[in-house]
Amino acid sequence: MSPAALPDAPTFTDRRDAPFHGKDILSVRQFSRQDQEYVLRVAHEMRNLVARIGSFDLCRGKILANLFYEPSTRTSSSFAAAMERLGGSVISINEVRYSSVAKGESLPDTVRTLESYADVLVLRHPEVGAAAQAAHYCKKPVINAGDGVGEHPSQALIDLFTIREELERIDGLTVTLLGDLRYGRTVHSLARLLCSYKVTLRLVSPESLPMPPEICEELRAAGLSFTQHTELDEVLAATDVLYVTRVQKERFADVEAYEAVRGAYVITPETLRAAKPEMIVMHPFPRVGEISMDVDDDPRAAYFRQIEYGLYVRMALVAMVLGRA
Ligand code: ASP
């Protein structure tokens, strides 16, 4: 059935005054609390529409280019699925080894090429600031899908959406970020987003992998209440959201340093005995041993639902930058 035939189907007009129309999404710092509320509302609407009609033509005729210089499963495929469900199509360069990058082509030249074909560019790159550089050269909106240890704004918006959908609020919660807080870009972006809320933040990491001082400074400046720990036991019982991350192996210069910290925290059913019955466990994935598979059937394990929420948030972001939301 065409969406137009549904009584309360959305109208698919280009809204040139729509928030974020034609804008790049490079950092969560671009999003005021009002902007965040807007994304969450649009994502919720996308969730309802997908449940009701699956796919629709909101972005028909539009093309998204996925340009990934680093591995990805969820981010690349969810942006592709998001665009397909919005009725658009996708150019995928998920393995730059097989593109002209392997011949030595620069990022600006690759970006200028793809903007000739596509309406929006999604970029993952190992260097901090690469998305900003791409945006400088690209006339079409660029969405940062992870720039090295920098930021991962769409993931953080997904994380926020997950908390809101699962717990129906954000203000008043105690959020514990666990694992590699030094190199994990998702926790950098999420911590920054949480500055807009009245949350209590617990940062738990090995001593060698703390949250970068400049982000702690931002948390302080925002008046966010946070403490740093090395032991999860100290904070678990009061936690509402346990956000687990993997140690970012690819950021370590030597294997020994990585081996010394990997496996520092492993969440098991035993761990969850000390947690609140309504706590949620999140993870941006991939997990590589930080959460035992025995936890998967616990209703508190929200990480697979979080993956699904990623589709709706990325649909919202793509529609927004294309002026269709
Ligand atoms: N998938 C997330 C990222 O790209 C988390 C991770 O890789 O650990 O940052």
Side-chain angles (χ1 to χ4, degrees), residues 20-246:
F20 283 85
H21 178 216
K23 299 255 172 69
D24 304 305
I25 296 178
L26 305 177
S27 161
V28 290
R29 281 179 281 202
Q30 293 169 258
F31 291 81
S32 65
R33 173 142 178 180
Q34 203 186 355
D35 294 331
Q36 295 168 36
E37 300 282 352
Y38 183 76
V39 175
L40 301 193
R41 265 203 316 278
V42 177
H44 190 78
E45 185 66 12
M46 294 297 179
R47 184 182 185 186
N48 289 339
L49 284 167
V50 170
R52 225 175 62 213
I53 51 178
S55 301
F56 40 97
D57 283 343
L58 192 60
C59 294
R60 186 163 42 137
K62 301 286 186 187
I63 298 176
L64 176 146
N66 253 339
L67 177 60
F68 280 65
Y69 288 71
E70 277 192 337
S72 169
T73 299
R74 278 147 294 273
T75 306
S76 64
S77 52
S78 62
F79 268 114
M83 193 48 158
E84 299 277 344
R85 288 197 180 269
L86 292 167
S89 44
V90 182
I91 299 170
S92 289
I93 304 189
N94 282 337
E95 184 47 275
V96 290
R97 258 188 305 154
Y98 299 118
S99 74
S100 285
V101 171
K103 301 180 193 166
E105 185 163 78
S106 68
L107 180 63
D109 285 358
T110 305
V111 161
R112 281 169 161 164
T113 303
L114 289 172
E115 75 170 357
S116 312
Y117 312 140
D119 302 287
V120 51
L121 183 69
V122 176
L123 175 72
R124 170 168 291 182
H125 198 281
E127 281 161 35
V128 176
Q133 190 199 14
H136 176 77
Y137 289 98
C138 186
K139 290 190 277 298
K140 308 284 173 60
V142 172
I143 301 178
N144 179 6
D147 60 336
V149 301
E151 280 222 31
H152 198 344
S154 64
Q155 179 65 51
L157 289 161
I158 292 163
D159 300 337
L160 209 58
F161 184 65
T162 302
I163 298 172
R164 174 67 76 75
E165 295 291 292
E166 294 278 316
L167 299 177
E168 293 173 1
R169 69 198 164 105
I170 298 168
D171 284 320
L173 297 176
T174 295
V175 179
T176 297
L177 307 181
L178 175 75
D180 182 350
L181 307 186
R182 180 177 181 184
Y183 298 125
R185 55 194 171 201
T186 70
V187 281
H188 298 167
S189 292
L190 181 56
R192 283 184 170 128
L193 271 189
L194 290 174
C195 286
S196 302
Y197 300 85
K198 288 186 180 58
V199 295
T200 301
L201 202 54
R202 304 293 179 215
L203 306 176
V204 185
S205 69
E207 244 159 54
S208 59
L209 300 174
M211 186 62 87
E214 65 275 16
I215 298 183
C216 290
E217 205 34 64
E218 287 178 43
L219 302 181
R220 248 174 243 118
L224 196 111
S225 153
F226 74 98
T227 49
Q228 293 178 279
H229 308 260
T230 53
E231 300 302 321
L232 178 62
D233 297 353
E234 292 170 15
V235 298
L236 183 62
T239 294
D240 299 299
V241 176
L242 177 61
Y243 190 98
V244 186
T245 65
R246 79 181 163 97

